[in-house]
Amino acid sequence: MTSPAQERLLHAAHTLFSGRSIHRVSIDDIVREAGSTKATLYRHYRSKDDLLLAVMRWESQAWLHGFQDNVARLEPHPARQLLVVVDALAGGWARPGFRGCVLTRLVLEQADPDHPAGQVLEDHQRRVREYLAVLARRAGRPEPDRLAAELHLVLEGAALLAGVGRDREAFSRARAIAGQLLGDPVYGEKADGA
């Protein structure tokens, strides 16, 4: 549970961290954006790093719920939901101004490879793979954990190319690759219209 003051601080920090480099966002910027005070920020978060980790956990949770909701909206039948994971991802990320996964960008900005932000990203990626494995099991696919790892790699690659590389075709190619992994050529052929 977070208080309204924490929600405002998280939202403000998320907006600023997502739009600029972490190192270009000051505590003053965050409290100004949140309409808060430094005393309130430090009552809830010991440091900027503590706030960064909270923002990353919040982003991870929101992203995963949004992804799951997109999958369920695109394909209500649980056994067929695996067939829409690329579309669910593209729907949320293939938009103007998309700069790639916020969590990945925040981790890459850290100079320290042992920064705790890396663990938050690893936890997020594990949860995504677990969700994909659940979908693979529902679909009766053999080796669901392997398939989930392969699909996750395709999704991460598409997000990176679309965000950082500004590759507008990344999700179409990802859909074709996913179609091959799933043994569903029709899935891959629908890439242009998805």
Side-chain angles (χ1 to χ4, degrees), residues 117-131:
Q119 185 60 54
V120 176
L121 178 60
E122 285 179 32
D123 292 343
H124 172 76
Q125 291 174 334
R126 177 188 45 78
R127 291 174 65 209
V128 172
R129 283 189 304 275
E130 287 171 353
Y131 172 64

Side-chain angles (χ1 to χ4, degrees), residues 2 12 22 27 33 37 45-46 56 73 84 111 115 128 179 192:
T2 55
I22 297 166
I27 292 296
E33 178 79 14
T37 65
Y45 306 102
R46 294 177 307 239
M56 290 182 69
R73 181 181 52 77
V84 298
H115 191 282
V128 172
D192 294 334

Side-chain angles (χ1 to χ4, degrees), residues 7-17 29-31 33-34:
E7 285 287 333
R8 286 193 306 276
L9 288 164
L10 283 169
H11 181 71
H14 181 273
T15 299
L16 293 170
F17 290 159
D29 294 332
I30 295 166
V31 296
E33 178 79 14

